[in-house]
Amino acid sequence: MNSNHGPARTWRRGLAGGGALAAAALALAACGSSGSTGAASGSNSSASSSTSSSSGSTASSQAAAPTISTATVAGFGSVLVNGDGRTLYLLTSEKGGKITCTDDNGCTKIWPDTELPSGVTTAKTGAGIQASLLGTVKDSKGSLYVTYGGYPLYTFAGDSAPGQAKGEGITSFGGTWYVINASGQPVTSKS
């Protein structure tokens, strides 16, 4: 039996030694000069991360509200973008929040919508956005979507990076797709 306890004791000693090293590293970081605050806060961040991940069910169930802001897109000037910097579009037939681009008709495969996560009731107002024009609309199933100037907002699957507007002027799904400016108006021609 002693032969079984030998490796376990060695493992426990190694674990205790590792714990002592970690404690010493944290103490050393805490005693450092103000120049080492980045290192100390980095250690605290990883400690917080592990704490959040242990209670991950609460954090992951509360998705963040999307942010709508403006950015310059070559040829179109300042237009609406999402939090990833992707250009946002409107469909002219959806003026006033009438949703015609849906999962059911396949539209959202090409034109991904800006649906709010469950429990979130509004998007965040980013740079250049008029808060009074930012709103929401419900679809027939009760899901909430972000609107601006009364138009539901979409990205385009053909745009592979921020700063692109390859969906501009496409006619499909009962209307024409345009980028939208900070005044809530479609941008129908290049500048």
Side-chain angles (χ1 to χ4, degrees):
M1 272 197 155
N2 282 345
S3 64
N4 289 338
H5 290 298
R9 283 190 182 140
T10 304
W11 179 79
R12 279 189 217 130
R13 272 188 242 138
L15 183 60
L21 282 174
L26 284 173
L28 199 60
C31 293
S33 69
S34 62
S36 67
T37 54
S41 55
S43 299
N44 291 339
S45 295
S46 57
S48 317
S49 297
S50 62
T51 304
S52 333
S53 63
S54 66
S55 62
S57 62
T58 305
S60 64
S61 67
Q62 296 175 343
T67 300
I68 308 299
S69 56
T70 59
T72 301
V73 173
F76 299 101
S78 182
V79 299
L80 269 60
V81 297
N82 66 13
D84 295 327
R86 303 297 285 270
T87 303
L88 291 168
Y89 297 84
L90 60 80
L91 179 59
T92 56
S93 62
E94 294 188 336
K95 176 74 174 159
K98 176 186 170 194
I99 296 178
T100 58
C101 182
T102 66
D103 294 344
D104 295 337
N105 65 14
C107 179
T108 56
K109 289 182 181 178
I110 301 164
W111 301 95
D113 52 37
T114 309
E115 183 176 1
L116 290 170
S118 180
V120 176
T121 58
T122 187
K124 292 180 184 174
T125 304
I129 295 299
Q130 295 179 42
S132 62
L133 296 177
L134 194 61
T136 59
V137 64
K138 276 188 186 180
D139 70 1
S140 61
K141 297 173 186 171
S143 297
L144 275 178
Y145 296 88
V146 178
T147 63
Y148 195 79
Y151 290 100
L153 301 175
Y154 301 86
T155 55
F156 177 54
D159 291 344
S160 58
Q164 296 180 346
K166 296 177 182 176
E168 175 71 11
I170 293 176
T171 299
S172 65
F173 298 101
T176 305
W177 297 91
Y178 293 113
V179 296
I180 183 170
N181 65 24
S183 298
Q185 299 301 310
V187 179
T188 58
S189 62
K190 286 192 169 189
S191 53

